[in-house]
Coordinates of all heavy atoms in Angstrom, one line a residue:
R1 N -21.0 -8.6 6.5 CA -20.3 -7.7 7.3 C -20.4 -6.3 6.7 O -20.4 -6.1 5.5 CB -18.8 -8.2 7.3 CG -18.0 -7.6 8.3 CD -16.7 -8.4 8.4 NE -15.9 -7.8 9.4 CZ -14.7 -8.1 9.7 NH1 -14.0 -8.9 9.0 NH2 -14.1 -7.5 10.7
T2 N -20.5 -5.3 7.6 CA -20.7 -4.0 7.1 C -19.6 -3.1 7.7 O -19.0 -3.4 8.7 CB -22.0 -3.4 7.5 OG1 -22.1 -3.4 9.0 CG2 -23.2 -4.3 7.0
L3 N -19.4 -2.0 7.0 CA -18.4 -1.0 7.5 C -19.2 0.0 8.4 O -20.3 0.3 8.1 CB -17.8 -0.2 6.3 CG -16.9 -1.0 5.4 CD1 -16.5 -0.1 4.2 CD2 -15.7 -1.5 6.1
A4 N -18.5 0.5 9.4 CA -19.1 1.6 10.2 C -18.8 2.9 9.5 O -18.1 3.7 10.1 CB -18.6 1.5 11.6
L5 N -19.3 3.1 8.3 CA -19.0 4.2 7.5 C -20.1 5.3 7.6 O -21.2 5.0 7.5 CB -18.8 3.8 6.1 CG -18.4 4.8 5.0 CD1 -16.9 5.2 5.3 CD2 -18.5 4.2 3.7
K6 N -19.6 6.5 7.9 CA -20.6 7.6 8.0 C -20.7 8.1 6.6 O -19.8 8.8 6.0 CB -20.1 8.7 9.0 CG -20.1 8.2 10.4 CD -19.5 9.2 11.3 CE -19.4 8.7 12.7 NZ -18.8 9.7 13.6
E7 N -21.8 7.9 5.9 CA -22.0 8.2 4.5 C -21.8 9.7 4.2 O -21.1 10.0 3.2 CB -23.4 7.7 4.1 CG -23.6 7.8 2.5 CD -24.9 7.2 2.1 OE1 -25.5 6.5 2.8 OE2 -25.2 7.5 0.9
L8 N -22.3 10.5 5.0 CA -22.1 12.0 4.8 C -20.6 12.4 4.8 O -20.2 13.1 4.0 CB -22.9 12.8 5.7 CG -24.5 12.7 5.5 CD1 -25.2 13.5 6.6 CD2 -24.9 13.3 4.2
D9 N -19.9 11.9 5.8 CA -18.5 12.1 6.0 C -17.7 11.6 4.8 O -16.9 12.3 4.2 CB -17.9 11.6 7.2 CG -18.4 12.3 8.5 OD1 -19.0 13.4 8.4 OD2 -18.3 11.7 9.6
F10 N -18.1 10.4 4.4 CA -17.4 9.7 3.2 C -17.6 10.6 1.9 O -16.7 10.8 1.2 CB -18.0 8.3 3.0 CG -17.4 7.7 1.8 CD1 -16.1 7.1 1.8 CD2 -18.1 7.5 0.6 CE1 -15.6 6.5 0.7 CE2 -17.6 6.9 -0.5 CZ -16.3 6.4 -0.5
T11 N -18.9 11.0 1.7 CA -19.2 11.8 0.5 C -18.4 13.1 0.5 O -17.9 13.5 -0.5 CB -20.7 12.0 0.4 OG1 -21.3 10.7 0.4 CG2 -21.0 12.7 -0.9
R12 N -18.4 13.7 1.7 CA -17.7 15.0 1.8 C -16.2 14.8 1.5 O -15.6 15.6 0.8 CB -17.9 15.6 3.2 CG -17.3 17.0 3.4 CD -17.2 17.4 4.8 NE -16.3 16.5 5.6 CZ -16.7 15.8 6.7 NH1 -17.8 16.0 7.2 NH2 -15.8 15.0 7.3
D13 N -15.6 13.8 2.1 CA -14.2 13.5 1.9 C -13.9 13.1 0.5 O -12.8 13.5 0.0 CB -13.7 12.5 2.9 CG -13.7 12.9 4.4 OD1 -13.8 14.1 4.6 OD2 -13.7 12.1 5.2
L14 N -14.8 12.4 -0.1 CA -14.6 12.0 -1.5 C -14.5 13.2 -2.4 O -13.7 13.1 -3.4 CB -15.7 11.0 -1.9 CG -15.6 10.3 -3.2 CD1 -14.4 9.4 -3.2 CD2 -16.9 9.5 -3.5
D15 N -15.2 14.2 -2.1 CA -15.2 15.4 -3.0 C -14.2 16.5 -2.5 O -14.1 17.5 -3.1 CB -16.6 16.0 -3.0 CG -17.6 15.1 -3.7 OD1 -17.2 14.3 -4.6 OD2 -18.8 15.2 -3.3
S16 N -13.5 16.2 -1.4 CA -12.6 17.2 -0.8 C -11.3 17.3 -1.6 O -10.6 16.4 -2.0 CB -12.2 16.7 0.6 OG -11.1 17.4 1.1
D17 N -10.9 18.6 -1.9 CA -9.6 18.9 -2.5 C -8.4 18.4 -1.7 O -7.4 17.9 -2.2 CB -9.5 20.4 -2.8 CG -10.3 20.8 -3.9 OD1 -10.7 20.0 -4.8 OD2 -10.6 22.1 -4.0
D18 N -8.5 18.5 -0.3 CA -7.5 18.1 0.6 C -7.2 16.6 0.4 O -6.1 16.1 0.3 CB -7.8 18.4 2.0 CG -7.6 19.9 2.3 OD1 -6.9 20.6 1.5 OD2 -8.2 20.3 3.3
V19 N -8.3 15.8 0.4 CA -8.2 14.3 0.3 C -7.7 14.0 -1.1 O -6.8 13.1 -1.3 CB -9.6 13.7 0.5 CG1 -9.5 12.2 0.2 CG2 -10.0 13.9 2.0
R20 N -8.1 14.7 -2.1 CA -7.7 14.4 -3.5 C -6.1 14.7 -3.6 O -5.4 13.9 -4.2 CB -8.4 15.4 -4.5 CG -7.8 15.4 -5.9 CD -8.0 14.2 -6.7 NE -9.4 13.9 -6.8 CZ -9.9 12.7 -7.2 NH1 -9.0 11.8 -7.5 NH2 -11.1 12.5 -7.3
K21 N -5.7 15.7 -2.9 CA -4.2 16.0 -2.9 C -3.4 14.9 -2.2 O -2.4 14.5 -2.7 CB -4.0 17.4 -2.3 CG -4.4 18.6 -3.2 CD -4.2 19.9 -2.4 CE -4.8 21.0 -3.2 NZ -4.8 22.3 -2.5
K22 N -4.0 14.4 -1.1 CA -3.3 13.4 -0.4 C -3.2 12.1 -1.2 O -2.2 11.4 -1.3 CB -4.0 13.1 0.9 CG -3.8 14.2 2.0 CD -4.6 13.9 3.2 CE -4.5 15.1 4.2 NZ -5.3 14.8 5.4
V23 N -4.3 11.8 -1.9 CA -4.3 10.6 -2.7 C -3.4 10.7 -3.9 O -2.6 9.8 -4.2 CB -5.8 10.2 -3.2 CG1 -5.8 9.2 -4.2 CG2 -6.7 9.9 -2.0
D24 N -3.4 11.9 -4.5 CA -2.5 12.1 -5.7 C -1.0 12.0 -5.2 O -0.2 11.5 -5.9 CB -2.8 13.5 -6.3 CG -4.1 13.5 -7.1 OD1 -4.6 12.4 -7.4 OD2 -4.6 14.6 -7.4
N25 N -0.7 12.6 -4.0 CA 0.6 12.5 -3.5 C 1.1 11.1 -3.2 O 2.2 10.7 -3.6 CB 0.7 13.4 -2.2 CG 2.1 13.6 -1.8 OD1 3.0 13.8 -2.6 ND2 2.3 13.4 -0.5
D26 N 0.2 10.3 -2.6 CA 0.5 8.9 -2.4 C 0.7 8.2 -3.7 O 1.6 7.3 -3.8 CB -0.6 8.3 -1.5 CG -0.6 8.7 -0.1 OD1 0.4 9.3 0.4 OD2 -1.6 8.4 0.6
L27 N -0.1 8.4 -4.7 CA 0.0 7.8 -6.0 C 1.3 8.1 -6.6 O 2.0 7.2 -7.1 CB -1.2 8.2 -6.9 CG -1.2 7.5 -8.2 CD1 -1.3 6.0 -8.2 CD2 -2.4 8.1 -9.0
A28 N 1.7 9.4 -6.6 CA 2.9 9.8 -7.2 C 4.1 9.1 -6.5 O 5.1 8.7 -7.1 CB 3.1 11.3 -7.2
G29 N 4.1 9.1 -5.2 CA 5.1 8.5 -4.4 C 5.3 7.0 -4.7 O 6.4 6.5 -4.9
G30 N 4.2 6.3 -4.8 CA 4.2 4.9 -5.2 C 4.8 4.7 -6.6 O 5.6 3.8 -6.8
E31 N 4.4 5.5 -7.5 CA 4.9 5.4 -8.9 C 6.4 5.7 -8.9 O 7.1 5.0 -9.6 CB 4.2 6.4 -9.8 CG 2.8 6.0 -10.1 CD 2.0 7.0 -10.9 OE1 2.4 8.2 -11.0 OE2 0.9 6.7 -11.4
Q32 N 6.9 6.6 -8.1 CA 8.3 6.9 -8.1 C 9.1 5.7 -7.5 O 10.3 5.5 -7.9 CB 8.6 8.1 -7.2 CG 8.2 9.4 -7.9 CD 8.4 10.6 -6.9 OE1 8.5 10.5 -5.7 NE2 8.4 11.8 -7.5
M33 N 8.5 4.9 -6.7 CA 9.1 3.7 -6.1 C 9.0 2.5 -6.9 O 9.5 1.4 -6.6 CB 8.6 3.5 -4.7 CG 8.9 4.6 -3.7 SD 8.3 4.3 -2.0 CE 9.5 3.0 -1.6
G34 N 8.3 2.6 -8.0 CA 8.1 1.5 -8.9 C 6.9 0.6 -8.6 O 6.8 -0.5 -9.1
V35 N 5.9 1.1 -7.8 CA 4.7 0.4 -7.5 C 3.8 0.5 -8.7 O 3.4 1.6 -9.1 CB 4.0 0.9 -6.3 CG1 2.7 0.2 -6.0 CG2 5.0 0.7 -5.1
H36 N 3.4 -0.6 -9.3 CA 2.5 -0.6 -10.4 C 1.2 -1.4 -10.1 O 0.3 -1.5 -11.0 CB 3.2 -1.1 -11.7 CG 4.4 -0.4 -12.1 ND1 4.3 0.9 -12.6 CD2 5.7 -0.6 -11.9 CE1 5.5 1.4 -12.8 NE2 6.4 0.5 -12.4
S37 N 1.2 -2.1 -9.0 CA 0.0 -2.9 -8.6 C 0.0 -3.1 -7.1 O 1.0 -2.8 -6.4 CB 0.0 -4.2 -9.3 OG 1.1 -5.0 -8.9
T38 N -1.1 -3.5 -6.6 CA -1.2 -3.9 -5.2 C -1.5 -5.3 -5.1 O -2.3 -5.9 -5.9 CB -2.2 -3.0 -4.5 OG1 -3.5 -3.2 -5.1 CG2 -1.9 -1.5 -4.5
P39 N -1.1 -6.0 -4.1 CA -0.1 -5.4 -3.1 C 1.3 -5.4 -3.6 O 1.7 -6.2 -4.5 CB -0.2 -6.4 -1.9 CG -0.6 -7.7 -2.5 CD -1.4 -7.4 -3.7
T40 N 2.1 -4.5 -3.2 CA 3.5 -4.4 -3.5 C 4.2 -4.3 -2.1 O 3.8 -3.5 -1.3 CB 3.9 -3.2 -4.3 OG1 3.1 -3.3 -5.6 CG2 5.3 -3.1 -4.6
F41 N 5.2 -5.1 -1.9 CA 5.9 -5.1 -0.6 C 7.4 -4.7 -0.8 O 8.0 -4.9 -1.8 CB 5.9 -6.6 -0.1 CG 4.6 -7.1 0.2 CD1 3.9 -7.8 -0.7 CD2 4.0 -6.8 1.5 CE1 2.6 -8.3 -0.4 CE2 2.7 -7.3 1.7 CZ 2.0 -8.1 0.8
F42 N 7.8 -4.0 0.2 CA 9.2 -3.5 0.3 C 9.8 -4.0 1.5 O 9.2 -4.1 2.6 CB 9.3 -2.0 0.3 CG 9.0 -1.4 -1.0 CD1 7.7 -1.2 -1.4 CD2 10.0 -1.0 -1.9 CE1 7.3 -0.6 -2.7 CE2 9.7 -0.5 -3.2 CZ 8.3 -0.3 -3.5
L43 N 11.1 -4.4 1.5 CA 11.8 -4.9 2.6 C 13.2 -4.3 2.6 O 13.9 -4.3 1.6 CB 12.0 -6.5 2.5 CG 12.7 -7.2 3.6 CD1 12.0 -7.0 5.0 CD2 12.9 -8.6 3.3
N44 N 13.5 -3.5 3.7 CA 14.7 -2.8 3.8 C 14.9 -1.8 2.6 O 16.0 -1.7 2.0 CB 15.9 -3.7 3.9 CG 15.9 -4.5 5.2 OD1 15.3 -4.0 6.2 ND2 16.4 -5.7 5.2
G45 N 13.8 -1.2 2.1 CA 13.9 -0.2 1.0 C 13.9 -0.8 -0.4 O 14.0 -0.1 -1.3
E46 N 13.9 -2.1 -0.5 CA 13.9 -2.8 -1.8 C 12.6 -3.5 -2.1 O 12.0 -4.1 -1.2 CB 15.0 -3.8 -1.8 CG 16.4 -3.3 -1.7 CD 16.8 -2.4 -2.8 OE1 16.5 -2.8 -4.0 OE2 17.5 -1.4 -2.6
Q47 N 12.1 -3.3 -3.3 CA 10.9 -4.0 -3.7 C 11.1 -5.5 -3.7 O 12.1 -6.0 -4.2 CB 10.4 -3.5 -5.0 CG 9.0 -4.0 -5.4 CD 8.5 -3.4 -6.7 OE1 9.1 -2.5 -7.3 NE2 7.4 -4.0 -7.1
M48 N 10.2 -6.2 -3.1 CA 10.2 -7.7 -3.0 C 9.6 -8.2 -4.3 O 8.5 -7.8 -4.7 CB 9.5 -8.2 -1.8 CG 10.2 -7.8 -0.5 SD 9.2 -8.3 0.9 CE 9.5 -10.1 0.8
I49 N 10.3 -9.2 -4.9 CA 9.7 -9.9 -6.1 C 9.7 -11.4 -5.7 O 10.7 -12.0 -5.4 CB 10.6 -9.7 -7.3 CG1 10.9 -8.2 -7.6 CG2 10.1 -10.4 -8.5 CD1 9.7 -7.4 -8.0
F50 N 8.5 -11.9 -5.8 CA 8.3 -13.4 -5.4 C 7.2 -13.9 -6.2 O 6.2 -13.2 -6.6 CB 8.1 -13.5 -3.9 CG 7.0 -12.7 -3.4 CD1 5.7 -13.2 -3.3 CD2 7.3 -11.4 -2.9 CE1 4.7 -12.4 -2.8 CE2 6.3 -10.6 -2.4 CZ 5.0 -11.1 -2.4
A51 N 7.3 -15.3 -6.4 CA 6.2 -15.9 -7.2 C 5.3 -16.8 -6.3 O 4.3 -17.3 -6.7 CB 6.8 -16.8 -8.3
S52 N 5.7 -17.0 -5.0 CA 4.9 -17.8 -4.1 C 5.1 -17.3 -2.7 O 6.0 -16.6 -2.4 CB 5.4 -19.3 -4.2 OG 6.7 -19.4 -3.6
I53 N 4.1 -17.7 -1.9 CA 4.2 -17.4 -0.5 C 5.5 -17.9 0.2 O 6.0 -17.3 1.1 CB 2.9 -17.8 0.3 CG1 2.8 -17.2 1.7 CG2 2.8 -19.3 0.3 CD1 2.7 -15.7 1.7
D54 N 5.9 -19.1 -0.3 CA 7.1 -19.6 0.3 C 8.3 -18.7 0.0 O 9.2 -18.5 0.9 CB 7.4 -21.0 -0.3 CG 6.4 -22.1 0.2 OD1 5.8 -21.9 1.3 OD2 6.1 -23.0 -0.5
Q55 N 8.4 -18.2 -1.2 CA 9.5 -17.3 -1.6 C 9.4 -16.0 -0.7 O 10.4 -15.5 -0.3 CB 9.5 -16.9 -3.0 CG 9.9 -18.1 -4.0 CD 9.8 -17.7 -5.4 OE1 9.4 -16.6 -5.8 NE2 10.2 -18.6 -6.3
F56 N 8.2 -15.5 -0.5 CA 8.0 -14.3 0.3 C 8.5 -14.5 1.7 O 9.2 -13.7 2.2 CB 6.5 -14.0 0.3 CG 6.1 -12.9 1.1 CD1 6.3 -11.5 0.8 CD2 5.4 -13.1 2.3 CE1 5.9 -10.5 1.6 CE2 5.0 -12.0 3.1 CZ 5.2 -10.7 2.7
I57 N 8.1 -15.6 2.3 CA 8.5 -16.0 3.7 C 10.0 -16.1 3.8 O 10.6 -15.7 4.7 CB 7.7 -17.2 4.2 CG1 6.2 -16.9 4.3 CG2 8.3 -17.7 5.5 CD1 5.4 -18.1 4.6
K58 N 10.6 -16.8 2.8 CA 12.0 -17.0 2.8 C 12.8 -15.7 2.7 O 13.8 -15.5 3.4 CB 12.5 -17.9 1.6 CG 14.0 -18.2 1.6 CD 14.3 -19.2 0.6 CE 15.8 -19.5 0.5 NZ 16.8 -18.7 1.1
Q59 N 12.3 -14.8 1.9 CA 13.0 -13.5 1.8 C 12.9 -12.7 3.1 O 13.9 -12.1 3.6 CB 12.4 -12.6 0.7 CG 12.7 -13.1 -0.7 CD 12.0 -12.2 -1.7 OE1 11.9 -11.0 -1.6 NE2 11.6 -12.8 -2.9
I60 N 11.8 -12.8 3.8 CA 11.7 -12.1 5.1 C 12.5 -12.8 6.1 O 13.3 -12.1 6.9 CB 10.2 -12.0 5.5 CG1 9.4 -11.1 4.6 CG2 10.1 -11.6 6.9 CD1 7.9 -11.2 4.8
T61 N 12.5 -14.1 6.1 CA 13.3 -14.8 7.1 C 14.8 -14.6 6.9 O 15.5 -14.4 7.9 CB 13.0 -16.3 7.0 OG1 11.6 -16.5 7.2 CG2 13.8 -17.2 8.0
D62 N 15.2 -14.7 5.7 CA 16.6 -14.4 5.4 C 17.1 -13.0 5.8 O 18.1 -12.8 6.4 CB 16.9 -14.6 3.9 CG 16.8 -16.1 3.4 OD1 16.7 -17.0 4.3 OD2 16.8 -16.3 2.2
A63 N 16.2 -12.0 5.5 CA 16.6 -10.6 5.9 C 16.6 -10.4 7.4 O 17.4 -9.6 7.9 CB 15.6 -9.7 5.2
T64 N 15.7 -11.1 8.1 CA 15.6 -10.8 9.5 C 16.6 -11.7 10.3 O 16.8 -11.4 11.5 CB 14.2 -11.0 10.0 OG1 13.7 -12.3 9.7 CG2 13.3 -10.0 9.4
T65 N 17.2 -12.7 9.7 CA 18.1 -13.6 10.4 C 19.5 -13.4 10.0 O 20.4 -14.0 10.5 CB 17.7 -15.0 10.3 OG1 17.7 -15.4 9.0 CG2 16.4 -15.3 11.0
A66 N 19.7 -12.5 8.9 CA 21.1 -12.3 8.4 C 21.9 -11.5 9.4 O 21.4 -10.7 10.2 CB 21.0 -11.5 7.1
K67 N 23.2 -11.9 9.5 CA 24.1 -11.3 10.4 C 25.1 -10.4 9.8 O 25.5 -10.5 8.8 CB 24.7 -12.3 11.3 CG 23.7 -13.1 12.1 CD 24.3 -13.9 13.1 CE 23.2 -14.7 13.7 NZ 22.9 -14.7 15.0

């Protein structure tokens, strides 16, 4: 499978100060929220901590069915 990537555009953007600033801003925002790895999930503004997909699904189900 291949990406429909325009190599010249990618290279230009990779070297762009604007793109660098956006990436740095996103990185700083993630660090402020406690993101230290990917993927990291948040639910209702709280970082989700789970050890299995079953725990992940339960947290989402509990949050979306809570009254």
Side-chain angles (χ1 to χ4, degrees):
R1 197 167 179 189
T2 62
L3 295 174
L5 186 67
K6 297 178 182 173
E7 188 173 345
L8 290 175
D9 291 343
F10 176 77
T11 303
R12 182 193 65 233
D13 291 343
L14 190 62
D15 294 333
S16 164
D17 286 338
D18 288 339
V19 171
R20 168 71 59 197
K21 288 176 188 175
K22 289 178 185 178
V23 170
D24 288 345
N25 188 46
D26 287 347
L27 181 62
E31 288 173 345
Q32 288 175 343
M33 294 182 72
V35 175
H36 301 290
S37 63
T38 60
T40 300
F41 297 93
F42 288 82
L43 180 62
N44 297 328
E46 297 292 323
Q47 186 174 354
M48 297 176 68
I49 306 296
F50 53 91
S52 70
I53 190 67
D54 291 333
Q55 289 178 356
F56 176 74
I57 292 169
K58 182 175 180 342
Q59 288 180 35
I60 293 172
T61 302
D62 290 349
T64 57
T65 58
K67 298 193 186 238

